[in-house]
């Protein structure tokens, strides 16, 4: 435990407005420092490798066919119930593969729990992509099917 | 002949300086405040009920959304409560990682407080500078867990991932630049006569009244009561770390300001110590995939940036909590607002809301 120290106050300091000039000096120094802001649509932020955008699906050259085995673990782990998987028999092999796979991006909160739950090896079939520009005109457009999950949404750029 | 009548005025819920959607019913005599009634609930999302509907692992995601300026502290207290229910030990490395992240979160949260508090009072520059330093911490969190605000960065029984390569060095670099930046904030504010006029003697509350209201955190310590959960009931690795708890004297806005500024320095000390002492080994304890705690109940607290965060959980042996309740320091601290602003001017209400450092997401849950 330690008491905080209140700064000294003196009539002379007050009279000479010293503390105001000290503050102005700080802001003045900043005029000559490099800028730290980003002009967003023109400059893109540099994302860290672990950045969590919307979840998407991927394949792996080591696995035949789709990597996802339609086990439904991700749908069970999701706190927002936004994943729907329908399974069918795997074409030319044992096990299952997704017949349809939907993620409702409107409800997804980017928590990453679905990725934790995915059991596929060597990488998880579902992964947190680096897509973050997700604005759409209609609510239906957020419902993303297998194709959208593999290829990702293409952000539309508007130029004036 | 020129008698005054009392007037009732609504401040908020869309007032820019109420830090969210808080409505205050002010009863005024001219410009003086006779009485205040905070009206809350505009941001209620039912986090407690959701905590009873979702599994223990999923509920951590909802704790993110309560105090969105300090999501890590909320994640942590919930995970700790479940760990106590389960009776699992967290490996030492995970404990130290939690301390590092929790203290970085405290610094980030205090920087937001500093920025918005100063901006409400009229010093815009500090807000911009504070946000710049906070960006460092958000980058650190992004690099650790991938999210910048709602982290979901704790798992029951440990931590989800190791620090990525170069993370520790980056955190050290941040700790190296922080003191010089703090000095700049002090130069801008601490002796500034406008700042002094707006904060000294405003929103005074003495230690006993603060305790009676149940206030915790820097708001209580500013009034001279030395209570900090990290010292009183040490959790995680705090018992092995050396740090001071700054306490104020007068219990006014200025003292709370100085307390929090000193807390930033102390948090930096803790981060550096914890990074030095970071032990090796596992980061996840033995927790089954499906978390099913035995029947029982637990109340667990830890020290969030705004005060004592508490979680009360009742388990009926299933995958969901039977009852989930959060003690939000913001909600409790806010109740003292009428006492703190009585007799002051309307403009001082803004200063007091700032010094209480409320986050409406946590007040309403
Ligand atoms: S990131 Fe979270 S909310 Fe989104 S689909 Fe995965 S589990 Fe569900
Ligand atoms: S993405 Fe992973 S967890 Fe989800 S169904 Fe496919 S294999 Fe299972």
């Amino acid at each position: 435990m330690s008491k905080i120290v209140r700064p000294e106050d003196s009539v002379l300091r007050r009279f000479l407005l010293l503390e105001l000039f000290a503050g102005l000096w700080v802001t003045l120094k900043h005029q000559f420092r490099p800028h730290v802001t980003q002009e967003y649509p023109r400059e893109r932020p540099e994302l860290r490798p672990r950045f969590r955008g919307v979840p998407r699906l991927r394949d792996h050259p080591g696995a035949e066919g789709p990597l996802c085995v339609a086990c439904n673990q991700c749908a069970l782990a999701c706190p927002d119930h936004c994943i729907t998987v329908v399974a069918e028999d795997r074409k030319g092999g044992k096990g299952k593969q997704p017949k349809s796979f939907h993620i409702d991006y409107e409800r997804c909160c980017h928590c990453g729990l679905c990725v934790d739950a995915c059991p596929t090896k060597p990488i998880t079939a579902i992964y947190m992509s680096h897509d973050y520009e997700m604005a759409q005109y209609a609510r239906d457009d957020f419902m993303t099917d297998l194709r959208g999950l593999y290829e990702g949404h293409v952000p539309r750029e508007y130029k004036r | 002949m020129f008698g005054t009548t009392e007037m009732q005025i609504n401040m908020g819920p869309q007032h820019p300086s109420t830090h969210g959607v808080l409505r205050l019913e002010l009863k005024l005599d001219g410009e003086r405040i006779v009485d205040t009634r905070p009206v809350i609930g505009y941001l209620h999302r039912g986090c407690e009920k959701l905590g009873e509907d979702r599994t223990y692992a999923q509920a951590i995601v909802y704790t993110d959304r309560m105090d969105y300026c300090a999501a890590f502290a909320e994640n942590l207290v919930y995970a700790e409560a479940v760990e106590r229910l389960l009776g699992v030990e967290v490996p030492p490395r995970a404990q130290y990682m939690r301390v590092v992240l929790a203290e970085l979160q405290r610094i980030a949260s205090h920087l937001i407080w500093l920025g918005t508090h100063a901006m409400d009072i009229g010093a815009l520059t500090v807000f911009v500078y504070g946000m710049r330093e906070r960006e460092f911490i958000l980058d650190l969190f992004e690099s650790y867990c991938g999210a910048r605000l709602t982290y979901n960065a704790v798992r029951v029984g440990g931590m989800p991932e190791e620090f990525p390569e170069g993370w520790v060095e980056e955190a050290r670099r941040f700790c190296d630049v922080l003191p010089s930046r703090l000095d700049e904030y002090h130069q801008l504010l601490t002796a500034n006569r406008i700042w002094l006029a707006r904060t000294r003697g405003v929103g005074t509350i003495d230690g006993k009244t603060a305790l009676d209201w149940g206030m915790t955190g820097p708001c209580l310590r500013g009034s001279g009561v030395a209570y900090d959960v990290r010292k009183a009931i040490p959790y995680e690795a705090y018992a092995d770390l050396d740090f001071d708890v700054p306490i104020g004297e007068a219990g006014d806005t200025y003292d709370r300001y100085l307390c929090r500024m000193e807390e930033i320095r102390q948090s930096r000390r803790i981060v550096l110590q914890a990074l030095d002492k970071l032990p090796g080994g596992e980061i996840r304890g033995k927790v089954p995939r499906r978390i099913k705690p035995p029947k029982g109940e637990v109340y667990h607290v830890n020290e969030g940036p705004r005060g004592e965060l508490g979680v009360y959980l009742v388990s009926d042996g299933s995958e969901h909590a039977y009852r989930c309740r959060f003690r939000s320091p913001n909600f409790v601290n806010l109740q003292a607002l009428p006492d703190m602003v009585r007799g002051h001017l309307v403009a001082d209400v803004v200063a007091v809301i700032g010094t209480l450092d409320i986050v409406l997401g946590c007040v309403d849950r």
Side-chain angles (χ1 to χ4, degrees), chain A residues 55 74 77-83 103 107-115 126 128:
Chain A
C74 50
C78 177
D80 297 334
H81 309 314
C82 58
I83 305 182
I103 301 185
R107 276 156 68 179
C108 172
C109 65
H110 304 205
C111 65
L113 289 180
C114 48
V115 179
I126 195 166
M128 302 310 280

mmCIF file with all atom_site columns, all heavy atoms in Angstrom, chain A residues 55 74 77-83 103 107-115 126 128, ligand 1:
data_model
loop_
_atom_site.group_PDB
_atom_site.id
_atom_site.type_symbol
_atom_site.label_atom_id
_atom_site.label_alt_id
_atom_site.label_comp_id
_atom_site.label_asym_id
_atom_site.label_entity_id
_atom_site.label_seq_id
_atom_site.pdbx_PDB_ins_code
_atom_site.Cartn_x
_atom_site.Cartn_y
_atom_site.Cartn_z
_atom_site.occupancy
_atom_site.B_iso_or_equiv
_atom_site.pdbx_formal_charge
_atom_site.auth_seq_id
_atom_site.auth_comp_id
_atom_site.auth_asym_id
_atom_site.auth_atom_id
_atom_site.pdbx_PDB_model_num
ATOM   1   N  N   . PRO A 1 55  ? -15.218 -17.630 -39.841 1.00 0.00 ? 55  PRO A N   1
ATOM   2   C  CA  . PRO A 1 55  ? -14.746 -18.991 -40.082 1.00 0.00 ? 55  PRO A CA  1
ATOM   3   C  C   . PRO A 1 55  ? -15.030 -19.442 -41.516 1.00 0.00 ? 55  PRO A C   1
ATOM   4   O  O   . PRO A 1 55  ? -16.059 -19.093 -42.086 1.00 0.00 ? 55  PRO A O   1
ATOM   5   C  CB  . PRO A 1 55  ? -15.530 -19.830 -39.071 1.00 0.00 ? 55  PRO A CB  1
ATOM   6   C  CG  . PRO A 1 55  ? -16.711 -19.025 -38.725 1.00 0.00 ? 55  PRO A CG  1
ATOM   7   C  CD  . PRO A 1 55  ? -16.336 -17.598 -38.894 1.00 0.00 ? 55  PRO A CD  1
ATOM   8   N  N   . CYS A 1 74  ? -18.364 -28.912 -34.667 1.00 0.00 ? 74  CYS A N   1
ATOM   9   C  CA  . CYS A 1 74  ? -18.295 -27.450 -34.672 1.00 0.00 ? 74  CYS A CA  1
ATOM   10  C  C   . CYS A 1 74  ? -19.669 -26.853 -34.387 1.00 0.00 ? 74  CYS A C   1
ATOM   11  O  O   . CYS A 1 74  ? -19.794 -25.877 -33.660 1.00 0.00 ? 74  CYS A O   1
ATOM   12  C  CB  . CYS A 1 74  ? -17.748 -26.945 -36.001 1.00 0.00 ? 74  CYS A CB  1
ATOM   13  S  SG  . CYS A 1 74  ? -18.550 -27.647 -37.439 1.00 0.00 ? 74  CYS A SG  1
ATOM   14  N  N   . ALA A 1 77  ? -20.318 -27.001 -30.746 1.00 0.00 ? 77  ALA A N   1
ATOM   15  C  CA  . ALA A 1 77  ? -19.493 -26.117 -29.926 1.00 0.00 ? 77  ALA A CA  1
ATOM   16  C  C   . ALA A 1 77  ? -19.909 -24.661 -30.057 1.00 0.00 ? 77  ALA A C   1
ATOM   17  O  O   . ALA A 1 77  ? -19.610 -23.848 -29.196 1.00 0.00 ? 77  ALA A O   1
ATOM   18  C  CB  . ALA A 1 77  ? -18.034 -26.262 -30.323 1.00 0.00 ? 77  ALA A CB  1
ATOM   19  N  N   . CYS A 1 78  ? -20.601 -24.339 -31.136 1.00 0.00 ? 78  CYS A N   1
ATOM   20  C  CA  . CYS A 1 78  ? -20.879 -22.929 -31.426 1.00 0.00 ? 78  CYS A CA  1
ATOM   21  C  C   . CYS A 1 78  ? -21.878 -22.353 -30.426 1.00 0.00 ? 78  CYS A C   1
ATOM   22  O  O   . CYS A 1 78  ? -22.966 -22.885 -30.263 1.00 0.00 ? 78  CYS A O   1
ATOM   23  C  CB  . CYS A 1 78  ? -21.438 -22.803 -32.831 1.00 0.00 ? 78  CYS A CB  1
ATOM   24  S  SG  . CYS A 1 78  ? -21.886 -21.126 -33.230 1.00 0.00 ? 78  CYS A SG  1
ATOM   25  N  N   . PRO A 1 79  ? -21.517 -21.270 -29.734 1.00 0.00 ? 79  PRO A N   1
ATOM   26  C  CA  . PRO A 1 79  ? -22.451 -20.705 -28.757 1.00 0.00 ? 79  PRO A CA  1
ATOM   27  C  C   . PRO A 1 79  ? -23.648 -20.018 -29.404 1.00 0.00 ? 79  PRO A C   1
ATOM   28  O  O   . PRO A 1 79  ? -24.653 -19.798 -28.740 1.00 0.00 ? 79  PRO A O   1
ATOM   29  C  CB  . PRO A 1 79  ? -21.590 -19.698 -27.993 1.00 0.00 ? 79  PRO A CB  1
ATOM   30  C  CG  . PRO A 1 79  ? -20.489 -19.364 -28.909 1.00 0.00 ? 79  PRO A CG  1
ATOM   31  C  CD  . PRO A 1 79  ? -20.246 -20.556 -29.757 1.00 0.00 ? 79  PRO A CD  1
ATOM   32  N  N   . ASP A 1 80  ? -23.533 -19.659 -30.666 1.00 0.00 ? 80  ASP A N   1
ATOM   33  C  CA  . ASP A 1 80  ? -24.632 -18.940 -31.311 1.00 0.00 ? 80  ASP A CA  1
ATOM   34  C  C   . ASP A 1 80  ? -25.444 -19.836 -32.233 1.00 0.00 ? 80  ASP A C   1
ATOM   35  O  O   . ASP A 1 80  ? -26.317 -19.342 -32.941 1.00 0.00 ? 80  ASP A O   1
ATOM   36  C  CB  . ASP A 1 80  ? -24.072 -17.761 -32.116 1.00 0.00 ? 80  ASP A CB  1
ATOM   37  C  CG  . ASP A 1 80  ? -23.392 -16.772 -31.219 1.00 0.00 ? 80  ASP A CG  1
ATOM   38  O  OD1 . ASP A 1 80  ? -23.774 -16.726 -30.038 1.00 0.00 ? 80  ASP A OD1 1
ATOM   39  O  OD2 . ASP A 1 80  ? -22.481 -16.073 -31.668 1.00 0.00 ? 80  ASP A OD2 1
ATOM   40  N  N   . HIS A 1 81  ? -25.163 -21.112 -32.244 1.00 0.00 ? 81  HIS A N   1
ATOM   41  C  CA  . HIS A 1 81  ? -25.877 -22.065 -33.091 1.00 0.00 ? 81  HIS A CA  1
ATOM   42  C  C   . HIS A 1 81  ? -25.964 -21.570 -34.529 1.00 0.00 ? 81  HIS A C   1
ATOM   43  O  O   . HIS A 1 81  ? -27.034 -21.539 -35.117 1.00 0.00 ? 81  HIS A O   1
ATOM   44  C  CB  . HIS A 1 81  ? -27.296 -22.310 -32.577 1.00 0.00 ? 81  HIS A CB  1
ATOM   45  C  CG  . HIS A 1 81  ? -27.325 -22.663 -31.126 1.00 0.00 ? 81  HIS A CG  1
ATOM   46  N  ND1 . HIS A 1 81  ? -26.474 -23.577 -30.576 1.00 0.00 ? 81  HIS A ND1 1
ATOM   47  C  CD2 . HIS A 1 81  ? -28.087 -22.211 -30.110 1.00 0.00 ? 81  HIS A CD2 1
ATOM   48  C  CE1 . HIS A 1 81  ? -26.718 -23.681 -29.283 1.00 0.00 ? 81  HIS A CE1 1
ATOM   49  N  NE2 . HIS A 1 81  ? -27.678 -22.856 -28.968 1.00 0.00 ? 81  HIS A NE2 1
ATOM   50  N  N   . CYS A 1 82  ? -24.862 -21.164 -35.105 1.00 0.00 ? 82  CYS A N   1
ATOM   51  C  CA  . CYS A 1 82  ? -24.957 -20.611 -36.449 1.00 0.00 ? 82  CYS A CA  1
ATOM   52  C  C   . CYS A 1 82  ? -24.414 -21.554 -37.513 1.00 0.00 ? 82  CYS A C   1
ATOM   53  O  O   . CYS A 1 82  ? -24.380 -21.196 -38.673 1.00 0.00 ? 82  CYS A O   1
ATOM   54  C  CB  . CYS A 1 82  ? -24.305 -19.241 -36.533 1.00 0.00 ? 82  CYS A CB  1
ATOM   55  S  SG  . CYS A 1 82  ? -22.602 -19.179 -36.079 1.00 0.00 ? 82  CYS A SG  1
ATOM   56  N  N   . ILE A 1 83  ? -24.016 -22.774 -37.143 1.00 0.00 ? 83  ILE A N   1
ATOM   57  C  CA  . ILE A 1 83  ? -23.511 -23.720 -38.140 1.00 0.00 ? 83  ILE A CA  1
ATOM   58  C  C   . ILE A 1 83  ? -24.536 -24.827 -38.345 1.00 0.00 ? 83  ILE A C   1
ATOM   59  O  O   . ILE A 1 83  ? -25.091 -25.352 -37.374 1.00 0.00 ? 83  ILE A O   1
ATOM   60  C  CB  . ILE A 1 83  ? -22.179 -24.342 -37.679 1.00 0.00 ? 83  ILE A CB  1
ATOM   61  C  CG1 . ILE A 1 83  ? -21.175 -23.237 -37.350 1.00 0.00 ? 83  ILE A CG1 1
ATOM   62  C  CG2 . ILE A 1 83  ? -21.615 -25.275 -38.736 1.00 0.00 ? 83  ILE A CG2 1
ATOM   63  C  CD1 . ILE A 1 83  ? -19.827 -23.741 -36.930 1.00 0.00 ? 83  ILE A CD1 1
ATOM   64  N  N   . ILE A 1 103 ? -22.964 -21.552 -42.688 1.00 0.00 ? 103 ILE A N   1
ATOM   65  C  CA  . ILE A 1 103 ? -22.652 -20.730 -41.518 1.00 0.00 ? 103 ILE A CA  1
ATOM   66  C  C   . ILE A 1 103 ? -23.370 -19.400 -41.698 1.00 0.00 ? 103 ILE A C   1
ATOM   67  O  O   . ILE A 1 103 ? -23.308 -18.796 -42.775 1.00 0.00 ? 103 ILE A O   1
ATOM   68  C  CB  . ILE A 1 103 ? -21.149 -20.482 -41.349 1.00 0.00 ? 103 ILE A CB  1
ATOM   69  C  CG1 . ILE A 1 103 ? -20.395 -21.807 -41.195 1.00 0.00 ? 103 ILE A CG1 1
ATOM   70  C  CG2 . ILE A 1 103 ? -20.898 -19.624 -40.116 1.00 0.00 ? 103 ILE A CG2 1
ATOM   71  C  CD1 . ILE A 1 103 ? -18.938 -21.640 -40.899 1.00 0.00 ? 103 ILE A CD1 1
ATOM   72  N  N   . ARG A 1 107 ? -24.838 -14.137 -37.369 1.00 0.00 ? 107 ARG A N   1
ATOM   73  C  CA  . ARG A 1 107 ? -24.870 -14.470 -35.949 1.00 0.00 ? 107 ARG A CA  1
ATOM   74  C  C   . ARG A 1 107 ? -23.505 -14.828 -35.400 1.00 0.00 ? 107 ARG A C   1
ATOM   75  O  O   . ARG A 1 107 ? -23.321 -14.851 -34.186 1.00 0.00 ? 107 ARG A O   1
ATOM   76  C  CB  . ARG A 1 107 ? -25.830 -15.630 -35.721 1.00 0.00 ? 107 ARG A CB  1
ATOM   77  C  CG  . ARG A 1 107 ? -27.249 -15.159 -35.603 1.00 0.00 ? 107 ARG A CG  1
ATOM   78  C  CD  . ARG A 1 107 ? -28.203 -16.242 -35.962 1.00 0.00 ? 107 ARG A CD  1
ATOM   79  N  NE  . ARG A 1 107 ? -28.193 -17.323 -34.995 1.00 0.00 ? 107 ARG A NE  1
ATOM   80  C  CZ  . ARG A 1 107 ? -28.981 -18.382 -35.092 1.00 0.00 ? 107 ARG A CZ  1
ATOM   81  N  NH1 . ARG A 1 107 ? -29.829 -18.471 -36.101 1.00 0.00 ? 107 ARG A NH1 1
ATOM   82  N  NH2 . ARG A 1 107 ? -28.933 -19.314 -34.206 1.00 0.00 ? 107 ARG A NH2 1
ATOM   83  N  N   . CYS A 1 108 ? -22.574 -15.137 -36.275 1.00 0.00 ? 108 CYS A N   1
ATOM   84  C  CA  . CYS A 1 108 ? -21.251 -15.564 -35.809 1.00 0.00 ? 108 CYS A CA  1
ATOM   85  C  C   . CYS A 1 108 ? -20.586 -14.442 -35.017 1.00 0.00 ? 108 CYS A C   1
ATOM   86  O  O   . CYS A 1 108 ? -20.600 -13.295 -35.425 1.00 0.00 ? 108 CYS A O   1
ATOM   87  C  CB  . CYS A 1 108 ? -20.380 -15.929 -37.007 1.00 0.00 ? 108 CYS A CB  1
ATOM   88  S  SG  . CYS A 1 108 ? -18.688 -16.238 -36.564 1.00 0.00 ? 108 CYS A SG  1
ATOM   89  N  N   . CYS A 1 109 ? -20.021 -14.782 -33.873 1.00 0.00 ? 109 CYS A N   1
ATOM   90  C  CA  . CYS A 1 109 ? -19.345 -13.764 -33.060 1.00 0.00 ? 109 CYS A CA  1
ATOM   91  C  C   . CYS A 1 109 ? -17.831 -13.943 -33.076 1.00 0.00 ? 109 CYS A C   1
ATOM   92  O  O   . CYS A 1 109 ? -17.146 -13.397 -32.230 1.00 0.00 ? 109 CYS A O   1
ATOM   93  C  CB  . CYS A 1 109 ? -19.887 -13.765 -31.646 1.00 0.00 ? 109 CYS A CB  1
ATOM   94  S  SG  . CYS A 1 109 ? -19.532 -15.277 -30.765 1.00 0.00 ? 109 CYS A SG  1
ATOM   95  N  N   . HIS A 1 110 ? -17.316 -14.702 -34.012 1.00 0.00 ? 110 HIS A N   1
ATOM   96  C  CA  . HIS A 1 110 ? -15.868 -14.828 -34.219 1.00 0.00 ? 110 HIS A CA  1
ATOM   97  C  C   . HIS A 1 110 ? -15.150 -15.330 -32.969 1.00 0.00 ? 110 HIS A C   1
ATOM   98  O  O   . HIS A 1 110 ? -14.074 -14.857 -32.646 1.00 0.00 ? 110 HIS A O   1
ATOM   99  C  CB  . HIS A 1 110 ? -15.252 -13.493 -34.639 1.00 0.00 ? 110 HIS A CB  1
ATOM   100 C  CG  . HIS A 1 110 ? -15.864 -12.897 -35.856 1.00 0.00 ? 110 HIS A CG  1
ATOM   101 N  ND1 . HIS A 1 110 ? -15.194 -12.017 -36.669 1.00 0.00 ? 110 HIS A ND1 1
ATOM   102 C  CD2 . HIS A 1 110 ? -17.082 -13.035 -36.409 1.00 0.00 ? 110 HIS A CD2 1
ATOM   103 C  CE1 . HIS A 1 110 ? -15.978 -11.652 -37.661 1.00 0.00 ? 110 HIS A CE1 1
ATOM   104 N  NE2 . HIS A 1 110 ? -17.127 -12.252 -37.517 1.00 0.00 ? 110 HIS A NE2 1
ATOM   105 N  N   . CYS A 1 111 ? -15.763 -16.262 -32.265 1.00 0.00 ? 111 CYS A N   1
ATOM   106 C  CA  . CYS A 1 111 ? -15.160 -16.686 -31.004 1.00 0.00 ? 111 CYS A CA  1
ATOM   107 C  C   . CYS A 1 111 ? -14.119 -17.773 -31.215 1.00 0.00 ? 111 CYS A C   1
ATOM   108 O  O   . CYS A 1 111 ? -13.236 -17.953 -30.383 1.00 0.00 ? 111 CYS A O   1
ATOM   109 C  CB  . CYS A 1 111 ? -16.229 -17.186 -30.053 1.00 0.00 ? 111 CYS A CB  1
ATOM   110 S  SG  . CYS A 1 111 ? -17.050 -18.654 -30.644 1.00 0.00 ? 111 CYS A SG  1
ATOM   111 N  N   . GLY A 1 112 ? -14.205 -18.517 -32.298 1.00 0.00 ? 112 GLY A N   1
ATOM   112 C  CA  . GLY A 1 112 ? -13.179 -19.522 -32.568 1.00 0.00 ? 112 GLY A CA  1
ATOM   113 C  C   . GLY A 1 112 ? -13.401 -20.861 -31.879 1.00 0.00 ? 112 GLY A C   1
ATOM   114 O  O   . GLY A 1 112 ? -12.555 -21.740 -31.967 1.00 0.00 ? 112 GLY A O   1
ATOM   115 N  N   . LEU A 1 113 ? -14.527 -21.043 -31.197 1.00 0.00 ? 113 LEU A N   1
ATOM   116 C  CA  . LEU A 1 113 ? -14.755 -22.315 -30.506 1.00 0.00 ? 113 LEU A CA  1
ATOM   117 C  C   . LEU A 1 113 ? -14.974 -23.453 -31.492 1.00 0.00 ? 113 LEU A C   1
ATOM   118 O  O   . LEU A 1 113 ? -14.649 -24.606 -31.202 1.00 0.00 ? 113 LEU A O   1
ATOM   119 C  CB  . LEU A 1 113 ? -15.966 -22.202 -29.574 1.00 0.00 ? 113 LEU A CB  1
ATOM   120 C  CG  . LEU A 1 113 ? -15.758 -21.346 -28.325 1.00 0.00 ? 113 LEU A CG  1
ATOM   121 C  CD1 . LEU A 1 113 ? -17.024 -21.311 -27.489 1.00 0.00 ? 113 LEU A CD1 1
ATOM   122 C  CD2 . LEU A 1 113 ? -14.620 -21.883 -27.488 1.00 0.00 ? 113 LEU A CD2 1
ATOM   123 N  N   . CYS A 1 114 ? -15.530 -23.141 -32.686 1.00 0.00 ? 114 CYS A N   1
ATOM   124 C  CA  . CYS A 1 114 ? -15.748 -24.187 -33.675 1.00 0.00 ? 114 CYS A CA  1
ATOM   125 C  C   . CYS A 1 114 ? -14.418 -24.776 -34.130 1.00 0.00 ? 114 CYS A C   1
ATOM   126 O  O   . CYS A 1 114 ? -14.311 -25.977 -34.380 1.00 0.00 ? 114 CYS A O   1
ATOM   127 C  CB  . CYS A 1 114 ? -16.526 -23.639 -34.861 1.00 0.00 ? 114 CYS A CB  1
ATOM   128 S  SG  . CYS A 1 114 ? -15.891 -22.105 -35.516 1.00 0.00 ? 114 CYS A SG  1
ATOM   129 N  N   . VAL A 1 115 ? -13.391 -23.922 -34.241 1.00 0.00 ? 115 VAL A N   1
ATOM   130 C  CA  . VAL A 1 115 ? -12.087 -24.410 -34.686 1.00 0.00 ? 115 VAL A CA  1
ATOM   131 C  C   . VAL A 1 115 ? -11.470 -25.313 -33.621 1.00 0.00 ? 115 VAL A C   1
ATOM   132 O  O   . VAL A 1 115 ? -10.863 -26.330 -33.925 1.00 0.00 ? 115 VAL A O   1
ATOM   133 C  CB  . VAL A 1 115 ? -11.164 -23.219 -35.007 1.00 0.00 ? 115 VAL A CB  1
ATOM   134 C  CG1 . VAL A 1 115 ? -9.808  -23.689 -35.449 1.00 0.00 ? 115 VAL A CG1 1
ATOM   135 C  CG2 . VAL A 1 115 ? -11.785 -22.338 -36.062 1.00 0.00 ? 115 VAL A CG2 1
ATOM   136 N  N   . ILE A 1 126 ? -12.272 -26.497 -40.510 1.00 0.00 ? 126 ILE A N   1
ATOM   137 C  CA  . ILE A 1 126 ? -12.816 -25.144 -40.366 1.00 0.00 ? 126 ILE A CA  1
ATOM   138 C  C   . ILE A 1 126 ? -11.712 -24.300 -39.750 1.00 0.00 ? 126 ILE A C   1
ATOM   139 O  O   . ILE A 1 126 ? -10.947 -24.774 -38.924 1.00 0.00 ? 126 ILE A O   1
ATOM   140 C  CB  . ILE A 1 126 ? -14.095 -25.178 -39.496 1.00 0.00 ? 126 ILE A CB  1
ATOM   141 C  CG1 . ILE A 1 126 ? -14.859 -23.880 -39.628 1.00 0.00 ? 126 ILE A CG1 1
ATOM   142 C  CG2 . ILE A 1 126 ? -13.810 -25.502 -38.058 1.00 0.00 ? 126 ILE A CG2 1
ATOM   143 C  CD1 . ILE A 1 126 ? -16.272 -23.986 -39.070 1.00 0.00 ? 126 ILE A CD1 1
ATOM   144 N  N   . MET A 1 128 ? -10.277 -19.987 -38.852 1.00 0.00 ? 128 MET A N   1
ATOM   145 C  CA  . MET A 1 128 ? -10.635 -18.583 -38.785 1.00 0.00 ? 128 MET A CA  1
ATOM   146 C  C   . MET A 1 128 ? -9.872  -17.854 -39.881 1.00 0.00 ? 128 MET A C   1
ATOM   147 O  O   . MET A 1 128 ? -8.648  -17.760 -39.840 1.00 0.00 ? 128 MET A O   1
ATOM   148 C  CB  . MET A 1 128 ? -10.285 -17.995 -37.412 1.00 0.00 ? 128 MET A CB  1
ATOM   149 C  CG  . MET A 1 128 ? -10.943 -18.685 -36.238 1.00 0.00 ? 128 MET A CG  1
ATOM   150 S  SD  . MET A 1 128 ? -12.718 -18.904 -36.397 1.00 0.00 ? 128 MET A SD  1
ATOM   151 C  CE  . MET A 1 128 ? -13.302 -17.284 -35.944 1.00 0.00 ? 128 MET A CE  1
HETATM 152 S  S1  . LIG C 2 .   ? -16.582 -18.510 -34.603 1.00 0.00 ? 1   LIG C S1  1
HETATM 153 FE FE1 . LIG C 2 .   ? -17.880 -18.934 -32.825 1.00 0.00 ? 1   LIG C FE1 1
HETATM 154 S  S2  . LIG C 2 .   ? -19.875 -18.068 -33.386 1.00 0.00 ? 1   LIG C S2  1
HETATM 155 FE FE2 . LIG C 2 .   ? -18.684 -18.197 -35.274 1.00 0.00 ? 1   LIG C FE2 1
HETATM 156 S  S3  . LIG C 2 .   ? -19.268 -20.146 -36.176 1.00 0.00 ? 1   LIG C S3  1
HETATM 157 FE FE3 . LIG C 2 .   ? -17.443 -20.539 -34.924 1.00 0.00 ? 1   LIG C FE3 1
HETATM 158 S  S4  . LIG C 2 .   ? -18.223 -21.152 -32.928 1.00 0.00 ? 1   LIG C S4  1
HETATM 159 FE FE4 . LIG C 2 .   ? -19.939 -20.198 -34.031 1.00 0.00 ? 1   LIG C FE4 1
#
